Amino acid sequence: MSKADVLEDWGNHLAQGRRRSPHTVRAYLAAARLLIERTGAANWASLAQLNTAQLRGHLASRRQDGLSNASTARELSAIKSFVKFAREQAGLAEEGAPRLRGPRIKKGLPRPVTPDDATNIADLVEGMAQDDWVGARDRAVLLLLYGAGLRIAEALSLNGNDVPLGETLAVTGKGNKQRIVPIIPAVREAVAQYAALSPWPIEPDKSLFRGVKGGPLSPGMVQKAMARARIALGLPATATPHALRHSFATHLLGAGADLRSLQELLGHASLGSTQIYTKVDAATLLDTYRGAHPRERDD
């Protein structure tokens, strides 16, 4: 078995067996390729025999390449999964994944935007586009993130079968997990406007959101459109498309939504992922207090 065969099997396992996203597959394949090149282990038997010291040495060399703590933690996760799979392929499944501890990562709080900023961003993105249909498209995508809490990949995965939108939408998220999200009138109207203006036919099994050449719209184009609007509005670099999803969660929590309901709406696998928004909401309240309380103001 060659290195190419090993990587092909690994990629197929991730994409088809584990249903990982294309981005994750690329990252995990890159980590596996580097491990093979640096250790010389190029088949399942030799990969299965890699010990903790060898893996730790490989990660140390990656740190010397300039890898950050967060990137090292991600690469460690990829390597552990790869070696575990190698041991399964070599008939050593009982040994499981190698025991390695990665660097401690301090999680920062998500940076939500205000409701007014979210609306202004969507409106400005529409107004700055060169073509009306492109502006309607980008506005519809951003409102799906802010108005329905979708991830950008989830919004761009919609196809012609999903329109016209109803009061709810079935969304397939991470881990192929499906959830139902409510769709407010403003989001339905924005998507309907885009569908009416699009020069490309809305076909059942093809991407709803298209690029200017007719292919599926890429996340990068949405990110660029939002970056232009963010700069024009004088907002910080943290005002990204994903920040709109954070804002959806934070604003719902501030309005009284409970954590379990929010977990379902966001498609989080664990409640722990949702609980971070309680800290965001507390931070927002504190900022408001500091700005309003007479003893906290400079004047």
Side-chain angles (χ1 to χ4, degrees), residues 4-20 25-26 28-29 44 82 85 89:
D5 293 330
V6 167
L7 292 174
E8 182 179 2
D9 288 349
W10 177 229
N12 288 337
H13 169 72
L14 291 169
Q16 299 170 17
R18 300 293 300 278
R19 295 186 180 276
R20 298 293 191 183
V25 173
R26 286 194 298 271
Y28 275 41
L29 278 172
W44 295 129
F82 180 50
F85 182 68
Q89 299 303 107

PDB file of all heavy atoms in Angstrom, residues 4-20 25-26 28-29 44 82 85 89:
ATOM      1  N   ALA A   4      -0.252   7.330  -1.136  1.00  0.00           N
ATOM      2  CA  ALA A   4      -1.449   7.843  -1.813  1.00  0.00           C
ATOM      3  C   ALA A   4      -2.681   7.003  -1.466  1.00  0.00           C
ATOM      4  O   ALA A   4      -3.778   7.540  -1.278  1.00  0.00           O
ATOM      5  CB  ALA A   4      -1.225   7.859  -3.327  1.00  0.00           C
ATOM      6  N   ASP A   5      -2.491   5.675  -1.367  1.00  0.00           N
ATOM      7  CA  ASP A   5      -3.615   4.792  -1.013  1.00  0.00           C
ATOM      8  C   ASP A   5      -4.103   5.073   0.412  1.00  0.00           C
ATOM      9  O   ASP A   5      -5.306   5.088   0.685  1.00  0.00           O
ATOM     10  CB  ASP A   5      -3.202   3.324  -1.132  1.00  0.00           C
ATOM     11  CG  ASP A   5      -2.927   2.908  -2.569  1.00  0.00           C
ATOM     12  OD1 ASP A   5      -3.554   3.483  -3.472  1.00  0.00           O
ATOM     13  OD2 ASP A   5      -2.068   2.025  -2.763  1.00  0.00           O
ATOM     14  N   VAL A   6      -3.145   5.271   1.316  1.00  0.00           N
ATOM     15  CA  VAL A   6      -3.483   5.556   2.707  1.00  0.00           C
ATOM     16  C   VAL A   6      -4.301   6.842   2.797  1.00  0.00           C
ATOM     17  O   VAL A   6      -5.348   6.898   3.457  1.00  0.00           O
ATOM     18  CB  VAL A   6      -2.206   5.675   3.560  1.00  0.00           C
ATOM     19  CG1 VAL A   6      -2.517   6.289   4.925  1.00  0.00           C
ATOM     20  CG2 VAL A   6      -1.565   4.305   3.738  1.00  0.00           C
ATOM     21  N   LEU A   7      -3.822   7.880   2.124  1.00  0.00           N
ATOM     22  CA  LEU A   7      -4.517   9.171   2.179  1.00  0.00           C
ATOM     23  C   LEU A   7      -5.881   9.101   1.505  1.00  0.00           C
ATOM     24  O   LEU A   7      -6.842   9.740   1.959  1.00  0.00           O
ATOM     25  CB  LEU A   7      -3.648  10.253   1.530  1.00  0.00           C
ATOM     26  CG  LEU A   7      -2.365  10.603   2.284  1.00  0.00           C
ATOM     27  CD1 LEU A   7      -1.502  11.565   1.480  1.00  0.00           C
ATOM     28  CD2 LEU A   7      -2.695  11.211   3.654  1.00  0.00           C
ATOM     29  N   GLU A   8      -5.976   8.330   0.431  1.00  0.00           N
ATOM     30  CA  GLU A   8      -7.266   8.177  -0.242  1.00  0.00           C
ATOM     31  C   GLU A   8      -8.278   7.482   0.677  1.00  0.00           C
ATOM     32  O   GLU A   8      -9.433   7.913   0.796  1.00  0.00           O
ATOM     33  CB  GLU A   8      -7.110   7.385  -1.542  1.00  0.00           C
ATOM     34  CG  GLU A   8      -8.419   7.249  -2.314  1.00  0.00           C
ATOM     35  CD  GLU A   8      -8.261   6.487  -3.623  1.00  0.00           C
ATOM     36  OE1 GLU A   8      -7.124   6.033  -3.908  1.00  0.00           O
ATOM     37  OE2 GLU A   8      -9.258   6.328  -4.340  1.00  0.00           O
ATOM     38  N   ASP A   9      -7.827   6.406   1.344  1.00  0.00           N
ATOM     39  CA  ASP A   9      -8.718   5.695   2.280  1.00  0.00           C
ATOM     40  C   ASP A   9      -9.145   6.603   3.429  1.00  0.00           C
ATOM     41  O   ASP A   9     -10.295   6.583   3.858  1.00  0.00           O
ATOM     42  CB  ASP A   9      -8.017   4.453   2.838  1.00  0.00           C
ATOM     43  CG  ASP A   9      -7.885   3.343   1.805  1.00  0.00           C
ATOM     44  OD1 ASP A   9      -8.504   3.449   0.725  1.00  0.00           O
ATOM     45  OD2 ASP A   9      -7.150   2.376   2.091  1.00  0.00           O
ATOM     46  N   TRP A  10      -8.206   7.380   3.939  1.00  0.00           N
ATOM     47  CA  TRP A  10      -8.489   8.287   5.043  1.00  0.00           C
ATOM     48  C   TRP A  10      -9.496   9.365   4.621  1.00  0.00           C
ATOM     49  O   TRP A  10     -10.456   9.661   5.335  1.00  0.00           O
ATOM     50  CB  TRP A  10      -7.186   8.906   5.530  1.00  0.00           C
ATOM     51  CG  TRP A  10      -7.260   9.929   6.619  1.00  0.00           C
ATOM     52  CD1 TRP A  10      -6.654  11.153   6.632  1.00  0.00           C
ATOM     53  CD2 TRP A  10      -7.936   9.827   7.886  1.00  0.00           C
ATOM     54  NE1 TRP A  10      -6.909  11.814   7.803  1.00  0.00           N
ATOM     55  CE2 TRP A  10      -7.698  11.020   8.596  1.00  0.00           C
ATOM     56  CE3 TRP A  10      -8.719   8.836   8.478  1.00  0.00           C
ATOM     57  CZ2 TRP A  10      -8.212  11.271   9.866  1.00  0.00           C
ATOM     58  CZ3 TRP A  10      -9.249   9.076   9.745  1.00  0.00           C
ATOM     59  CH2 TRP A  10      -8.994  10.268  10.426  1.00  0.00           C
ATOM     60  N   GLY A  11      -9.279   9.923   3.436  1.00  0.00           N
ATOM     61  CA  GLY A  11     -10.193  10.944   2.932  1.00  0.00           C
ATOM     62  C   GLY A  11     -11.593  10.401   2.713  1.00  0.00           C
ATOM     63  O   GLY A  11     -12.589  11.050   3.049  1.00  0.00           O
ATOM     64  N   ASN A  12     -11.682   9.192   2.168  1.00  0.00           N
ATOM     65  CA  ASN A  12     -12.992   8.570   1.937  1.00  0.00           C
ATOM     66  C   ASN A  12     -13.705   8.288   3.265  1.00  0.00           C
ATOM     67  O   ASN A  12     -14.917   8.462   3.387  1.00  0.00           O
ATOM     68  CB  ASN A  12     -12.840   7.273   1.146  1.00  0.00           C
ATOM     69  CG  ASN A  12     -12.469   7.518  -0.308  1.00  0.00           C
ATOM     70  OD1 ASN A  12     -12.731   8.598  -0.843  1.00  0.00           O
ATOM     71  ND2 ASN A  12     -11.856   6.547  -0.944  1.00  0.00           N
ATOM     72  N   HIS A  13     -12.935   7.844   4.256  1.00  0.00           N
ATOM     73  CA  HIS A  13     -13.512   7.566   5.575  1.00  0.00           C
ATOM     74  C   HIS A  13     -14.092   8.842   6.190  1.00  0.00           C
ATOM     75  O   HIS A  13     -15.196   8.828   6.746  1.00  0.00           O
ATOM     76  CB  HIS A  13     -12.437   6.989   6.494  1.00  0.00           C
ATOM     77  CG  HIS A  13     -12.847   6.916   7.934  1.00  0.00           C
ATOM     78  ND1 HIS A  13     -13.781   6.004   8.408  1.00  0.00           N
ATOM     79  CD2 HIS A  13     -12.462   7.659   9.021  1.00  0.00           C
ATOM     80  CE1 HIS A  13     -13.952   6.183   9.710  1.00  0.00           C
ATOM     81  NE2 HIS A  13     -13.170   7.172  10.103  1.00  0.00           N
ATOM     82  N   LEU A  14     -13.357   9.939   6.060  1.00  0.00           N
ATOM     83  CA  LEU A  14     -13.823  11.206   6.630  1.00  0.00           C
ATOM     84  C   LEU A  14     -15.056  11.730   5.911  1.00  0.00           C
ATOM     85  O   LEU A  14     -16.030  12.155   6.545  1.00  0.00           O
ATOM     86  CB  LEU A  14     -12.702  12.253   6.551  1.00  0.00           C
ATOM     87  CG  LEU A  14     -11.485  12.033   7.446  1.00  0.00           C
ATOM     88  CD1 LEU A  14     -10.369  12.983   7.044  1.00  0.00           C
ATOM     89  CD2 LEU A  14     -11.850  12.235   8.914  1.00  0.00           C
ATOM     90  N   ALA A  15     -15.004  11.711   4.572  1.00  0.00           N
ATOM     91  CA  ALA A  15     -16.086  12.306   3.781  1.00  0.00           C
ATOM     92  C   ALA A  15     -17.346  11.448   3.769  1.00  0.00           C
ATOM     93  O   ALA A  15     -18.464  11.963   3.883  1.00  0.00           O
ATOM     94  CB  ALA A  15     -15.606  12.562   2.356  1.00  0.00           C
ATOM     95  N   GLN A  16     -17.162  10.125   3.629  1.00  0.00           N
ATOM     96  CA  GLN A  16     -18.325   9.248   3.479  1.00  0.00           C
ATOM     97  C   GLN A  16     -18.716   8.557   4.784  1.00  0.00           C
ATOM     98  O   GLN A  16     -19.896   8.502   5.129  1.00  0.00           O
ATOM     99  CB  GLN A  16     -18.027   8.208   2.400  1.00  0.00           C
ATOM    100  CG  GLN A  16     -17.760   8.839   1.033  1.00  0.00           C
ATOM    101  CD  GLN A  16     -17.237   7.836   0.012  1.00  0.00           C
ATOM    102  OE1 GLN A  16     -17.360   6.628   0.203  1.00  0.00           O
ATOM    103  NE2 GLN A  16     -16.637   8.342  -1.057  1.00  0.00           N
ATOM    104  N   GLY A  17     -17.721   8.054   5.506  1.00  0.00           N
ATOM    105  CA  GLY A  17     -18.029   7.354   6.749  1.00  0.00           C
ATOM    106  C   GLY A  17     -18.389   8.284   7.891  1.00  0.00           C
ATOM    107  O   GLY A  17     -19.312   8.010   8.657  1.00  0.00           O
ATOM    108  N   ARG A  18     -17.653   9.416   8.002  1.00  0.00           N
ATOM    109  CA  ARG A  18     -17.889  10.346   9.111  1.00  0.00           C
ATOM    110  C   ARG A  18     -18.689  11.570   8.688  1.00  0.00           C
ATOM    111  O   ARG A  18     -19.075  12.379   9.520  1.00  0.00           O
ATOM    112  CB  ARG A  18     -16.545  10.801   9.695  1.00  0.00           C
ATOM    113  CG  ARG A  18     -15.682   9.667  10.249  1.00  0.00           C
ATOM    114  CD  ARG A  18     -16.291   9.014  11.470  1.00  0.00           C
ATOM    115  NE  ARG A  18     -16.469   9.983  12.539  1.00  0.00           N
ATOM    116  CZ  ARG A  18     -15.506  10.361  13.375  1.00  0.00           C
ATOM    117  NH1 ARG A  18     -14.295   9.845  13.269  1.00  0.00           N
ATOM    118  NH2 ARG A  18     -15.753  11.233  14.329  1.00  0.00           N
ATOM    119  N   ARG A  19     -18.899  11.737   7.386  1.00  0.00           N
ATOM    120  CA  ARG A  19     -19.658  12.875   6.830  1.00  0.00           C
ATOM    121  C   ARG A  19     -19.080  14.216   7.285  1.00  0.00           C
ATOM    122  O   ARG A  19     -19.815  15.141   7.654  1.00  0.00           O
ATOM    123  CB  ARG A  19     -21.142  12.777   7.206  1.00  0.00           C
ATOM    124  CG  ARG A  19     -21.832  11.570   6.601  1.00  0.00           C
ATOM    125  CD  ARG A  19     -23.324  11.586   6.871  1.00  0.00           C
ATOM    126  NE  ARG A  19     -23.993  10.440   6.292  1.00  0.00           N
ATOM    127  CZ  ARG A  19     -24.399  10.353   5.036  1.00  0.00           C
ATOM    128  NH1 ARG A  19     -24.198  11.367   4.210  1.00  0.00           N
ATOM    129  NH2 ARG A  19     -25.011   9.256   4.591  1.00  0.00           N
ATOM    130  N   ARG A  20     -17.754  14.300   7.249  1.00  0.00           N
ATOM    131  CA  ARG A  20     -17.113  15.550   7.607  1.00  0.00           C
ATOM    132  C   ARG A  20     -17.252  16.556   6.464  1.00  0.00           C
ATOM    133  O   ARG A  20     -17.396  16.186   5.305  1.00  0.00           O
ATOM    134  CB  ARG A  20     -15.632  15.335   7.901  1.00  0.00           C
ATOM    135  CG  ARG A  20     -15.365  14.397   9.079  1.00  0.00           C
ATOM    136  CD  ARG A  20     -15.809  15.007  10.381  1.00  0.00           C
ATOM    137  NE  ARG A  20     -15.338  14.253  11.531  1.00  0.00           N
ATOM    138  CZ  ARG A  20     -15.633  14.540  12.778  1.00  0.00           C
ATOM    139  NH1 ARG A  20     -16.423  15.566  13.049  1.00  0.00           N
ATOM    140  NH2 ARG A  20     -15.172  13.797  13.772  1.00  0.00           N
ATOM    141  N   VAL A  25     -12.153  17.772   5.874  1.00  0.00           N
ATOM    142  CA  VAL A  25     -11.447  16.711   5.142  1.00  0.00           C
ATOM    143  C   VAL A  25     -10.098  17.222   4.654  1.00  0.00           C
ATOM    144  O   VAL A  25      -9.067  16.549   4.796  1.00  0.00           O
ATOM    145  CB  VAL A  25     -12.296  16.192   3.962  1.00  0.00           C
ATOM    146  CG1 VAL A  25     -11.483  15.222   3.100  1.00  0.00           C
ATOM    147  CG2 VAL A  25     -13.557  15.496   4.480  1.00  0.00           C
ATOM    148  N   ARG A  26     -10.078  18.422   4.078  1.00  0.00           N
ATOM    149  CA  ARG A  26      -8.807  18.987   3.585  1.00  0.00           C
ATOM    150  C   ARG A  26      -7.806  19.167   4.724  1.00  0.00           C
ATOM    151  O   ARG A  26      -6.620  18.835   4.587  1.00  0.00           O
ATOM    152  CB  ARG A  26      -9.066  20.335   2.900  1.00  0.00           C
ATOM    153  CG  ARG A  26      -9.715  20.236   1.534  1.00  0.00           C
ATOM    154  CD  ARG A  26      -9.618  21.564   0.790  1.00  0.00           C
ATOM    155  NE  ARG A  26     -10.334  22.631   1.494  1.00  0.00           N
ATOM    156  CZ  ARG A  26     -11.601  22.915   1.322  1.00  0.00           C
ATOM    157  NH1 ARG A  26     -12.321  22.205   0.465  1.00  0.00           N
ATOM    158  NH2 ARG A  26     -12.179  23.899   1.980  1.00  0.00           N
ATOM    159  N   TYR A  28      -7.696  17.636   7.709  1.00  0.00           N
ATOM    160  CA  TYR A  28      -7.264  16.356   8.274  1.00  0.00           C
ATOM    161  C   TYR A  28      -6.337  15.607   7.318  1.00  0.00           C
ATOM    162  O   TYR A  28      -5.409  14.926   7.761  1.00  0.00           O
ATOM    163  CB  TYR A  28      -8.484  15.501   8.626  1.00  0.00           C
ATOM    164  CG  TYR A  28      -9.072  15.789   9.993  1.00  0.00           C
ATOM    165  CD1 TYR A  28      -9.196  17.104  10.451  1.00  0.00           C
ATOM    166  CD2 TYR A  28      -9.505  14.764  10.823  1.00  0.00           C
ATOM    167  CE1 TYR A  28      -9.737  17.379  11.698  1.00  0.00           C
ATOM    168  CE2 TYR A  28     -10.044  15.025  12.080  1.00  0.00           C
ATOM    169  CZ  TYR A  28     -10.151  16.336  12.514  1.00  0.00           C
ATOM    170  OH  TYR A  28     -10.686  16.599  13.744  1.00  0.00           O
ATOM    171  N   LEU A  29      -6.584  15.733   6.028  1.00  0.00           N
ATOM    172  CA  LEU A  29      -5.683  15.109   5.048  1.00  0.00           C
ATOM    173  C   LEU A  29      -4.315  15.781   5.084  1.00  0.00           C
ATOM    174  O   LEU A  29      -3.280  15.107   4.995  1.00  0.00           O
ATOM    175  CB  LEU A  29      -6.284  15.208   3.640  1.00  0.00           C
ATOM    176  CG  LEU A  29      -7.311  14.158   3.263  1.00  0.00           C
ATOM    177  CD1 LEU A  29      -7.948  14.499   1.916  1.00  0.00           C
ATOM    178  CD2 LEU A  29      -6.666  12.772   3.192  1.00  0.00           C
ATOM    179  N   TRP A  44      -0.572   1.313   6.860  1.00  0.00           N
ATOM    180  CA  TRP A  44      -1.358   1.212   8.085  1.00  0.00           C
ATOM    181  C   TRP A  44      -0.598   0.544   9.222  1.00  0.00           C
ATOM    182  O   TRP A  44      -0.706   0.957  10.384  1.00  0.00           O
ATOM    183  CB  TRP A  44      -2.671   0.469   7.816  1.00  0.00           C
ATOM    184  CG  TRP A  44      -3.605   1.168   6.882  1.00  0.00           C
ATOM    185  CD1 TRP A  44      -4.205   0.647   5.770  1.00  0.00           C
ATOM    186  CD2 TRP A  44      -4.072   2.518   6.978  1.00  0.00           C
ATOM    187  NE1 TRP A  44      -4.993   1.580   5.164  1.00  0.00           N
ATOM    188  CE2 TRP A  44      -4.938   2.742   5.889  1.00  0.00           C
ATOM    189  CE3 TRP A  44      -3.835   3.561   7.868  1.00  0.00           C
ATOM    190  CZ2 TRP A  44      -5.567   3.959   5.669  1.00  0.00           C
ATOM    191  CZ3 TRP A  44      -4.456   4.787   7.650  1.00  0.00           C
ATOM    192  CH2 TRP A  44      -5.317   4.977   6.563  1.00  0.00           C
ATOM    193  N   PHE A  82      -6.474  10.129  12.986  1.00  0.00           N
ATOM    194  CA  PHE A  82      -5.802   9.404  11.910  1.00  0.00           C
ATOM    195  C   PHE A  82      -5.115   8.149  12.444  1.00  0.00           C
ATOM    196  O   PHE A  82      -5.242   7.058  11.868  1.00  0.00           O
ATOM    197  CB  PHE A  82      -4.782  10.331  11.243  1.00  0.00           C
ATOM    198  CG  PHE A  82      -4.014   9.706  10.110  1.00  0.00           C
ATOM    199  CD1 PHE A  82      -4.666   9.029   9.078  1.00  0.00           C
ATOM    200  CD2 PHE A  82      -2.626   9.799  10.066  1.00  0.00           C
ATOM    201  CE1 PHE A  82      -3.953   8.474   8.027  1.00  0.00           C
ATOM    202  CE2 PHE A  82      -1.909   9.244   9.033  1.00  0.00           C
ATOM    203  CZ  PHE A  82      -2.575   8.567   8.005  1.00  0.00           C
ATOM    204  N   PHE A  85      -7.608   5.525  13.413  1.00  0.00           N
ATOM    205  CA  PHE A  85      -8.111   4.845  12.212  1.00  0.00           C
ATOM    206  C   PHE A  85      -7.069   3.855  11.693  1.00  0.00           C
ATOM    207  O   PHE A  85      -7.403   2.742  11.258  1.00  0.00           O
ATOM    208  CB  PHE A  85      -8.450   5.880  11.138  1.00  0.00           C
ATOM    209  CG  PHE A  85      -9.012   5.303   9.872  1.00  0.00           C
ATOM    210  CD1 PHE A  85     -10.265   4.703   9.854  1.00  0.00           C
ATOM    211  CD2 PHE A  85      -8.283   5.358   8.684  1.00  0.00           C
ATOM    212  CE1 PHE A  85     -10.795   4.176   8.676  1.00  0.00           C
ATOM    213  CE2 PHE A  85      -8.806   4.838   7.506  1.00  0.00           C
ATOM    214  CZ  PHE A  85     -10.059   4.248   7.505  1.00  0.00           C
ATOM    215  N   GLN A  89      -7.431  -0.166  11.042  1.00  0.00           N
ATOM    216  CA  GLN A  89      -7.109  -0.800   9.761  1.00  0.00           C
ATOM    217  C   GLN A  89      -6.088  -1.913   9.933  1.00  0.00           C
ATOM    218  O   GLN A  89      -6.086  -2.898   9.192  1.00  0.00           O
ATOM    219  CB  GLN A  89      -6.580   0.238   8.757  1.00  0.00           C
ATOM    220  CG  GLN A  89      -7.554   1.347   8.410  1.00  0.00           C
ATOM    221  CD  GLN A  89      -8.862   0.809   7.849  1.00  0.00           C
ATOM    222  OE1 GLN A  89      -9.894   0.829   8.517  1.00  0.00           O
ATOM    223  NE2 GLN A  89      -8.845   0.311   6.640  1.00  0.00           N
TER     224      GLN A  89
END
